[in-house]
Amino acid sequence: MTYGMASRSSSTAPVPGAPVQIPSLPKLGTTWYKRGALYWLCRARTTVFLLVVMAMVCFFSISLYQGFTSEWPPTVRTVCDRVQLAASCVAPVWGWVKQRRGHREGLLHPPTPEQTRQAKRDHDRRAPGLASAGRGLGLLAAPVLPALAAYSVGWLAAWLTVREYPSEVGARRWLQEHGAAG
């Protein structure tokens, strides 16, 4: 009897009847499965980080806007300030609604754990280029930057306050399809 080397795909395939491992999700690891104290600490860490980022973005956008409009005649500046104030009151609601609609769609068609990891890798690969492009666009968008910042505050606030992320729902469905975790 000869023993050959197992192919890579056959050696990594799960054995029927063996417990399926809980998939790890970006930023949550496997804490999403039991949703214990560590899970909520991960969520709290993300919330605190994004609150600080939102505060910095809002401060930056208002400062840039004020610097941009400081040389305008007082009448024009007053009109623009009022328009900016109105837009900045509507924008967070718009961001909230947009995110919640996207979240609802994500819950209807949740990603698998592998799709979630791939999306995170794609995001990490694009982020440096987007940040560089965003600096230049930020200067061009100075007249409307406070409203854009308000939109992002609404969007992020809605994202932070969801009960469960689509990636968690997708991972739970994946676990159900591949057998209960042990």
Side-chain angles (χ1 to χ4, degrees):
M1 185 170 184
T2 61
Y3 293 97
M5 192 171 189
S7 72
R8 183 166 193 214
S9 61
S10 67
S11 63
T12 58
V15 177
V20 177
Q21 220 176 22
I22 299 169
S24 179
L25 297 176
K27 293 189 170 81
L28 293 174
T30 58
T31 64
W32 64 269
Y33 184 70
K34 295 200 184 213
R35 295 174 66 97
L38 192 55
Y39 170 81
W40 292 108
L41 282 172
C42 289
R43 294 268 310 247
R45 176 193 64 204
T46 300
T47 301
V48 169
F49 173 74
L50 286 177
L51 287 173
V52 170
V53 168
M54 286 189 284
M56 289 178 3
V57 166
C58 289
F59 175 77
F60 172 76
S61 66
I62 291 169
S63 297
L64 190 61
Y65 173 77
Q66 287 175 335
F68 187 80
T69 61
S70 65
E71 298 299 318
W72 291 359
T75 307
V76 174
R77 188 171 52 242
T78 301
V79 170
C80 286
D81 287 349
R82 288 184 180 162
V83 169
Q84 192 64 245
L85 181 63
S88 295
C89 289
V90 171
V93 175
W94 181 28
W96 179 281
V97 169
K98 180 80 171 154
Q99 198 290 326
R100 287 301 167 122
R101 286 181 182 160
H103 181 73
R104 194 174 311 117
E105 181 65 27
L107 291 175
L108 292 174
H109 308 288
T112 65
E114 183 53 38
Q115 289 170 330
T116 300
R117 284 188 291 275
Q118 184 61 44
K120 175 70 173 137
R121 283 191 296 266
D122 292 346
H123 173 269
D124 290 348
R125 192 178 65 245
R126 286 189 314 264
L130 291 173
S132 296
R135 289 185 196 115
L137 291 176
L139 294 175
L140 292 174
V144 293
L145 210 50
L148 291 174
Y151 174 88
S152 68
V153 165
W155 193 97
L156 286 170
W159 181 71
L160 290 170
T161 56
V162 298
R163 188 172 57 87
E164 192 172 39
Y165 296 120
S167 60
E168 296 174 58
V169 173
R172 286 193 195 285
R173 286 186 185 172
W174 183 90
L175 271 176
Q176 288 174 347
E177 291 171 5
H178 291 85

